Amino acid sequence: MGGKALNKFGVYTERKNSKEFRKIRNEIQNILNTKLQLISKSVLFYKTKSNHGDLDLLIKIPKGFHIKWYDFIKKTFQPNGIYSNGNVYSFDYDNFQIDFILIKEEYWEIAQIYFAYDPLGNIMGKTFHKFGLSYGWKGLYYKYRNHDGINIKDILITRNPQKIFEFGGYDFERFIVSGFDYLEEIFEYCINSKYFSSDIFQFNNLKTIDKKRNRKRNSYKKFLEYINNKNINKLYSFNKDKNFYIEMINDFFPESNLIDILKILDLECEKKKTISNKFNGNIVMEWLPELKGVELGRIISLFKKSFIESYDDYILKTEISKIKEDFFKIYDKNKRK
């Protein structure tokens, strides 16, 4: 997206005015409908936008539908370059960059909302992150982290766009009914959220990878310029401990069963932590300092596979001295001579 995805191939496309944009969009959509019978929609943008760097086209992928997109694009459009990144295929058509954004039908409704009116979805996502949530084209998720701070599961909270907007303090009716005439209206819409906080969008407060991405996004840079030039300094006081918001999220989205799911995941993590503390590679190397690398991994794997019943249950109910004794039986039987 952004009209520069093909530059690495030496392919430089041009911007198109609204009339040219609509012509290309209609041609592409007709081809998709005729050849593949697929529904597609261009991403919504503010109404007075006069020229475009690319065409972002959402394509609904029904269950059971399979196609080699690279081959289809190459044969059908004969572009000078094709770049694929996850579910996005970028190519040139009539000296204009086309982005096919492939969306499974289960995400179709929320994806149309998330991608609309750039950079709204991006800005909302950074706000939701302060609650421990992740907002994207697949919906709103809670990121569960284990005792080491590693994200091990994304818990679906909702794909209901109206509830997502209401939770974040955004006027959903305005979004649906009126949309936006000017880019600055999108900026003001974001600023009007009761949770808006100017500081979380500044480049020096972004993670390295996020900083790198947003430096390439003109709409995001324009948003920063807007709030900085207007000296907008709204600072919502978020709690640093994101666990503070769990009950709030659960109450607003009771259908997510967030608290019940977190209790189950906490028990599973404690179980894994206990198992890891009783038996791991470092413990084995204390028993056998010469056992390292590939051979260490091989013996541990054989030990874990030696149990007819659950390995986890065995570790949980067995004393460390007995675990050591059983491990050496496997080691003595399988060590390389």
Side-chain angles (χ1 to χ4, degrees), residues 73-268:
I73 292 170
K74 185 176 182 179
K75 180 180 179 181
T76 305
F77 302 102
Q78 299 180 351
N80 293 300
I82 304 174
Y83 174 68
S84 63
N85 182 20
N87 67 320
V88 180
Y89 285 82
S90 301
F91 61 97
D92 59 294
Y93 174 85
D94 193 14
N95 202 25
F96 189 54
Q97 181 177 309
I98 311 298
D99 292 329
F100 280 180
I101 307 171
L102 312 180
I103 307 294
K104 292 182 180 179
E105 59 183 348
E106 62 193 289
Y107 308 126
W108 182 242
E109 297 302 326
I110 186 61
Q112 292 177 70
I113 300 296
Y114 174 77
F115 283 113
Y117 302 118
D118 177 57
L120 177 57
N122 187 10
I123 293 169
M124 289 175 63
K126 284 177 173 47
T127 302
F128 284 121
H129 180 72
K130 303 299 287 186
F131 295 97
L133 297 168
S134 174
Y135 174 54
W137 58 272
K138 291 183 178 181
L140 187 67
Y141 288 79
Y142 182 87
K143 303 186 80 66
Y144 177 80
R145 301 180 184 277
N146 66 8
H147 49 272
D148 293 321
I150 299 171
N151 180 223
I152 60 171
K153 186 176 179 63
D154 292 339
I155 304 167
L156 176 63
I157 300 300
T158 188
R159 293 194 183 109
N160 182 324
Q162 183 169 350
K163 291 203 69 174
I164 292 173
F165 275 59
E166 289 175 356
F167 179 83
Y170 300 97
D171 184 348
F172 187 67
E173 184 177 357
R174 158 72 191 281
F175 176 94
I176 292 296
V177 176
S178 304
F180 306 95
D181 292 329
Y182 301 95
L183 182 60
E184 292 75 15
E185 289 181 350
I186 300 175
F187 298 161
E188 286 294 333
Y189 181 83
C190 297
I191 293 166
N192 286 334
S193 164
K194 62 182 178 181
Y195 298 119
F196 183 80
S197 191
S198 309
D199 60 334
I200 67 176
F201 304 101
Q202 302 299 326
F203 280 122
N204 60 338
N205 291 327
L206 300 182
K207 292 182 179 179
T208 301
I209 188 169
D210 204 19
K211 188 183 301 182
K212 184 178 180 181
R213 287 171 181 165
N214 284 302
R215 285 194 187 282
K216 298 178 181 178
R217 293 170 173 161
N218 286 330
S219 59
Y220 188 86
K221 289 190 289 185
K222 287 180 179 179
F223 171 66
L224 273 186
E225 290 172 5
Y226 185 84
I227 61 175
N228 291 336
N229 291 340
K230 288 187 172 290
N231 294 315
I232 294 170
N233 195 32
K234 288 179 64 177
L235 297 174
Y236 183 83
S237 181
F238 287 100
N239 196 305
K240 291 183 178 180
D241 182 6
K242 293 176 182 177
N243 291 329
F244 176 82
Y245 297 108
I246 290 175
E247 189 172 342
M248 172 185 173
I249 296 167
N250 189 77
D251 289 346
F252 198 92
F253 303 99
E255 67 276 15
S256 70
N257 297 314
L258 178 61
I259 289 179
D260 291 339
I261 293 173
L262 290 178
K263 287 178 180 177
I264 294 171
L265 289 173
D266 283 342
L267 288 173
E268 290 178 355

